[in-house]
């Protein structure tokens, strides 16, 4: 079963923005960058906004196309799937044993009722059989409670592991993106880089871009950022 991991964490909070106007102490170099009027193109041959502009990155695309996010997501999914299968197998085993014990108890109770109604037990024998049935029922209920608690503990363990894995994955991806964008903007010299979130392809819903509803295409630096992120990640393998 395919899972979708909602990554990027704090980076995708609505109206969040990264303001990266100062990188290093070379004032003359930054001023020269802002004054630069040379046309900049990204890897898709789209004209990018000049230095000093307020631009944005579509984090929905970053999430879907950043290879680190794809690889880490697949690793976490595989690990959680394996844990899920183990939990499912244990659950089925317990359910099977519960049914076996319940059927045994039901059969014993029916046999007792049938023989007692036919007068096949003496009073003393009936009392002994009734006590045996009560003991069986008590043991069954104790087993149900014990196994139910075990399953709750296993489910809690699974959930805690999933939360920890996703937390670490998100932080790893967020740190890589933040670090890259800081270096990226040291070269580009933008006044501000906004983080936007657009439609999720294939989810059947239409979502308004947030916080950027519409903008000049030159302000969308997503493709350029993606190319840089993926190049840096692939080089680190």
């Amino acid at each position: 079963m395919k899972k979708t991991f909602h990554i990027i964490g704090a980076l995708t909070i609505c109206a969040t923005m990264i303001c990266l106007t100062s990188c290093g102490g070379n004032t003359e170099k930054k001023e020269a960058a802002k004054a630069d009027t040379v046309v900049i193109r990204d890897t898709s041959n789209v004209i990018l906004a000049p230095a000093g502009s307020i631009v944005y990155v579509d984090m929905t695309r970053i999430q879907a196309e950043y290879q680190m996010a794809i690889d880490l997501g697949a690793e976490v999914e595989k690990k959680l799937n394996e844990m899920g299968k183990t939990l499912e197998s244990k659950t089925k085993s317990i359910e099977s044993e519960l049914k076996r014990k319940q059927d045994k108890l039901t059969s014993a109770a029916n046999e007792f009722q049938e023989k007692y109604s036919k007068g096949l037990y003496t009073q003393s024998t009936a009392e002994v059989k009734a006590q045996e049935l009560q003991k069986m029922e008590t043991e069954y209920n104790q087993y149900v409670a014990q196994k139910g608690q075990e399953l709750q503990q296993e489910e809690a363990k699974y959930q805690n592991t999933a939360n920890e894995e996703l937390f670490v994955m998100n932080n790893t991806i967020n740190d890589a993106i933040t670090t890259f964008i800081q270096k990226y903007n040291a070269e580009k010299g933008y006044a501000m880089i906004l983080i936007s979130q657009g439609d999720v392809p294939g989810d059947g819903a239409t979502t308004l871009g947030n916080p950027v509803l519409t903008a000049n295409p030159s302000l969308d630096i997503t493709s350029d950022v993606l190319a840089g992120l993926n190049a840096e990640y692939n080089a680190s393998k």
Side-chain angles (χ1 to χ4, degrees):
M1 179 176 64
K2 185 176 181 180
K3 295 184 179 67
T4 301
F5 294 99
H6 296 286
I7 60 176
I8 312 303
L11 287 179
T12 57
I13 295 176
C14 296
T16 301
M17 58 184 68
I18 298 177
C19 185
L20 301 166
T21 56
S22 59
C23 301
N26 193 334
T27 303
E28 293 180 0
K29 187 175 182 179
K30 286 190 292 183
E31 290 300 321
K34 292 181 180 180
D36 189 6
T37 57
V38 176
V39 172
I40 304 174
R41 296 179 183 272
D42 72 0
T43 54
S44 299
N45 205 34
V46 175
I47 298 177
L48 296 176
S53 301
I54 295 177
V55 294
Y56 72 95
V57 176
D58 182 350
M59 296 310 297
T60 303
R61 278 193 61 198
I62 298 291
Q63 176 179 337
E65 301 176 37
Y66 182 23
Q67 196 59 46
M68 175 188 282
I70 294 171
D71 291 347
L72 292 182
E75 289 177 12
V76 171
E77 181 177 6
K78 180 180 179 181
K79 183 172 184 177
L80 295 184
N81 277 341
E82 290 174 352
M83 288 185 63
K85 289 178 181 178
T86 300
L87 178 58
E88 183 180 6
S89 176
K90 185 169 185 177
T91 300
K92 287 182 178 179
S93 177
I94 290 175
E95 288 175 347
S96 177
E97 182 63 12
L98 283 174
K99 186 178 185 307
R100 188 188 69 79
K101 288 180 176 294
Q102 185 181 46
D103 290 345
K104 183 178 180 180
L105 178 60
T106 301
S107 177
N110 290 340
E111 181 183 1
F112 170 80
Q113 186 62 39
E114 181 182 359
K115 289 184 177 182
Y116 183 77
S117 65
K118 291 180 179 181
L120 301 179
Y121 289 137
T122 64
Q123 186 61 32
S124 59
T125 301
E127 289 176 357
V128 171
K129 292 294 183 181
Q131 289 175 355
E132 290 176 352
L133 277 175
Q134 187 172 8
K135 182 182 178 182
M136 285 180 65
E137 183 178 8
T138 299
E139 290 175 347
Y140 172 77
N141 290 333
Q142 289 174 343
Y143 183 85
V144 171
Q146 176 191 347
K147 294 304 176 180
Q149 186 176 24
E150 286 180 11
L151 283 180
Q152 286 181 345
Q153 291 173 346
E154 289 295 324
E155 289 170 356
K157 180 180 178 181
Y158 172 85
Q159 191 59 56
N160 288 337
T161 300
N163 291 338
E164 289 176 359
E165 290 287 341
L166 293 173
F167 179 77
V168 171
M169 181 186 75
N170 287 341
N171 284 344
T172 301
I173 296 169
N174 290 347
D175 181 67
I177 293 173
T178 301
T179 301
F180 173 81
I181 289 182
Q182 288 173 342
K183 293 186 295 184
Y184 175 87
N185 203 50
E187 298 178 1
K188 302 296 184 181
Y190 292 122
M192 186 178 293
I193 299 178
L194 298 175
I195 293 176
S196 182
Q197 188 171 14
D199 255 348
V200 177
D203 69 349
T206 300
T207 305
L208 295 178
N210 197 347
V212 179
L213 181 60
T214 184
N216 187 301
S218 67
L219 301 179
D220 182 356
I221 61 170
T222 307
S223 294
D224 202 34
V225 169
L226 264 172
L229 281 169
N230 284 327
E232 183 178 78
Y233 173 66
N234 291 330
S236 69
K237 290 183 179 181

